[in-house]
């Protein structure tokens, strides 16, 4: 319950859905239905439920529980950068939802 | 014997209980604009013919990329409005944003016969298909109705009868997208209810809600669906946050609530 109430009142925050294209570029498959665990607080969330800050060219994905930074992703013309130091594990489902 | 058994299992993938993940690399493709329809003063629907059309899930989106002669690129995501039963083409309903680089190009420049670079379908979280069942509670703010419209159209086309209610918040009646189609679908008697709230201006004799979505409104709208509906909320960030909080407040399990926020940077839908 506190998770949703904890959200910052920030109009620029989006859901993990907004980073779906970048993540699919990085992993080669749909990622937003997968579960990830936050390295800061241990909360497990769907990637699509993370809080996304940034634009379609680069995003920071934060934990909806503690706001901790979980994932950073940036797309440039020459390379795609992915920083996952805020994620302890990612569970990739074998069956599509 | 064990090795033979293993080998026979390997050669019979259809017996495997967990099929392998199918890689779906995203590729840009050139879509052609088949039709443009003015839905409301600020929203147009673009019908795009896709050379590489793929089965999508209602709720998914497409990325659109514009490239200037000097190489500058702008990219935005737009939700699919059509249902997957319609093959070879998709509808994207796009709201014209002030200083919207991509939406203003689409609204002011793009005409039938033009080509545009797209990739998709994208996303697997904010999706619903008929086999997932219901009951279904859909809450839309403004053009947040677009991905929910794909779900509603799919529900109808798939012959699904799961109870479904769409609560659609709009500033006024002129800004309600798909008004005629929604009214026809809700009066068809197939278990879909559409409830409007007009937050700024109401026509004379308006009998619907006329305030922002709050907890008592959600309680009234959700009541016929029972305690455990699947909920999809799409709209501007502040609206989605208020609705998500109020849904939890009226006792809907958080795990049942899926949200899609759109903001100035995301430009969706």
């Amino acid at each position: 319950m506190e998770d949703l109430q904890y959200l910052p009142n920030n109009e620029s925050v989006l859901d993990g859905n907004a980073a779906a294209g970048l993540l699919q570029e990085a992993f080669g498959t749909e990622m937003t239905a997968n579960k990830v665990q936050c390295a800061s607080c241990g909360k497990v969330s769907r990637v699509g439920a993370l809080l996304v800050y940034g634009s379609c060219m680069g995003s920071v994905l934060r934990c909806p529980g503690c706001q901790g930074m979980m994932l950073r992703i940036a797309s440039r013309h020459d390379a795609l950068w992915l920083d996952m130091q805020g994620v302890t594990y990612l569970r990739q489902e074998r069956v599509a939802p | 014997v064990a090795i033979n058994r293993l080998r026979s299992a390997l050669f019979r993938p259809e017996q495997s209980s967990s099929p392998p993940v199918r890689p779906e690399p995203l590729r840009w493709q050139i879509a052609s604009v088949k039709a443009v329809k003015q839905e409301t003063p600020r929203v147009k629907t673009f019908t795009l013919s896709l050379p590489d059309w793929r089965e999508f899930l209602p709720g998914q989106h497409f990325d659109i990329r514009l490239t200037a002669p000097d190489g500058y690129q702008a990219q935005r995501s737009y939700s699919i409005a059509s249902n997957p039963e319609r093959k070879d083409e998709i509808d994207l309903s796009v709201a014209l944003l002030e200083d919207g680089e991509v939406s203003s190009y689409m609204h002011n420049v793009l005409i039938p016969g033009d080509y545009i670079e797209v990739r998709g379908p994208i996303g697997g979280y904010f999706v619903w298909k008929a086999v997932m069942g219901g009951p279904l509670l859909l809450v839309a703010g403004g053009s947040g109705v677009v991905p929910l419209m794909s779900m509603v159209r799919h529900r109808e086309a798939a012959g699904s009868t799961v109870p479904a209610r769409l609560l659609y918040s709009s500033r006024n009646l002129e800004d309600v997208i798909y008004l005629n189609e929604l009214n026809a679908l809700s009066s068809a008697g197939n278990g879909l209810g559409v409830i409007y709230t007009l937050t700024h201006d109401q026509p004379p004799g308006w009998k619907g809600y006329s305030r922002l979505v709050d907890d008592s409104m959600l309680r009234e709208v959700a009541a016929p669906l029972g305690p455990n509906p699947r909920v999809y909320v799409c709209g501007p960030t502040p609206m989605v946050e208020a609705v998500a909080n109020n849904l939890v407040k009226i006792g809907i399990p958080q795990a049942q609530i899926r949200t899609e926020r759109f903001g100035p940077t995301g430009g969706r839908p």
Side-chain angles (χ1 to χ4, degrees):
Chain A
M1 184 161 186
E2 56 270 67
D3 292 342
L4 288 168
Q5 290 175 341
Y6 210 74
L7 293 178
N9 222 352
N10 183 342
E11 296 211 11
S12 66
V13 64
L14 302 173
D15 310 78
N17 317 324
L22 276 176
L23 290 166
Q24 192 162 341
E25 251 180 63
F27 289 91
T29 186
E30 207 298 301
M31 295 302 290
T32 53
N34 295 326
K35 288 176 176 169
V36 282
Q37 187 183 39
C38 173
S40 305
C41 72
K43 181 182 170 64
V44 177
S45 311
R46 303 266 185 185
V47 173
L50 300 184
L51 308 178
V52 171
Y53 296 82
S55 71
C56 43
M57 301 301 176
S59 297
V60 174
L61 282 76
R62 294 184 177 274
C63 173
C66 74
Q67 310 283 314
M69 193 179 74
M70 294 181 67
L71 216 141
R72 291 189 298 166
I73 186 162
S75 178
R76 292 164 30 132
H77 70 281
D78 61 336
L80 193 141
W81 290 76
L82 179 64
D83 168 355
M84 291 187 62
Q85 59 181 315
V87 174
T88 41
Y89 73 76
L90 182 148
R91 179 190 155 104
Q92 163 83 328
E93 304 296 337
R94 292 193 195 280
V95 185
Chain B
V1 173
I3 286 176
N4 282 342
R5 202 176 285 159
L6 181 61
R7 190 170 288 157
S8 63
L10 284 174
F11 287 117
R12 282 183 210 145
E14 73 276 10
Q15 288 186 348
S16 163
S17 59
S18 50
V21 172
R22 188 167 57 93
E24 298 150 32
L26 270 181
R27 289 199 185 85
W28 291 99
Q29 58 177 308
I30 308 292
S32 63
V33 180
K34 186 178 170 187
V36 181
K37 180 186 177 194
Q38 187 90 43
E39 301 273 7
T40 71
R42 282 182 54 249
V43 175
K44 282 185 179 180
T45 292
F46 298 85
T47 301
L48 305 180
S49 299
L50 302 178
D52 183 20
W53 185 93
R54 292 177 191 208
E55 184 93 23
F56 62 87
L57 300 169
Q60 286 189 303
H61 67 264
F62 266 74
D63 285 345
I64 285 191
R65 181 166 76 179
L66 304 178
T67 306
D70 65 359
Y72 170 79
Q73 290 189 323
Q75 184 180 320
R76 296 290 184 277
S77 301
Y78 295 105
S79 294
I80 307 169
S82 49
N83 50 298
E85 288 76 13
R86 242 178 81 196
K87 311 289 181 196
D88 302 323
E89 59 188 37
I90 53 165
D91 281 352
L92 303 180
S93 296
V94 177
L96 177 62
L97 303 177
E98 318 254 336
D99 349 300
E101 271 180 324
V102 177
S103 68
S104 65
Y105 173 84
M106 293 183 74
H107 270 253
N108 302 328
V109 180
L110 215 55
I111 56 169
D114 285 349
Y115 294 91
I116 191 163
E117 209 174 5
V118 303
R119 70 175 183 183
I122 297 168
Y125 173 71
F126 193 84
V127 296
W128 180 79
K129 53 183 171 178
V131 293
M132 291 165 74
L136 205 54
L137 175 60
L138 310 173
V139 186
S143 53
V145 73
V146 175
L148 308 180
M149 193 61 189
S150 178
M151 297 178 188
V152 166
R153 285 169 165 162
H154 162 65
R155 177 185 171 280
E156 179 76 10
S160 165
T161 54
V162 299
R165 309 202 89 193
L166 168 64
L167 174 58
Y168 185 172
S169 172
S170 177
R171 295 168 63 89
N172 51 51
L173 200 58
E174 298 79 67
D175 284 343
V176 172
I177 318 170
Y178 321 122
L179 179 66
N180 294 336
E181 187 179 350
L182 283 172
N183 287 342
L185 286 170
S186 64
S187 54
N190 294 333
L192 172 71
V194 181
I195 302 99
Y196 301 99
T197 180
L198 303 179
T199 56
H200 284 57
D201 301 296
Q202 301 83 28
W206 174 249
K207 291 193 181 66
Y209 292 111
S210 49
R211 59 181 199 268
L212 295 174
V213 178
D214 56 27
D215 52 343
S216 66
M217 190 189 298
L218 286 167
R219 198 177 282 117
E220 287 169 19
V221 172
L225 300 173
N228 210 25
R230 286 179 175 274
V231 190
Y232 295 84
V233 187
C234 185
T237 294
M239 182 261 183
V240 168
E241 277 172 24
V243 170
N245 285 336
N246 281 322
L247 286 166
V248 173
K249 197 166 147 190
I250 67 166
I252 291 179
Q254 197 178 300
Q256 292 286 96
I257 306 168
R258 299 203 167 190
T259 61
E260 177 150 284
R261 299 164 171 84
F262 60 80
T265 50
R268 183 177 10 172

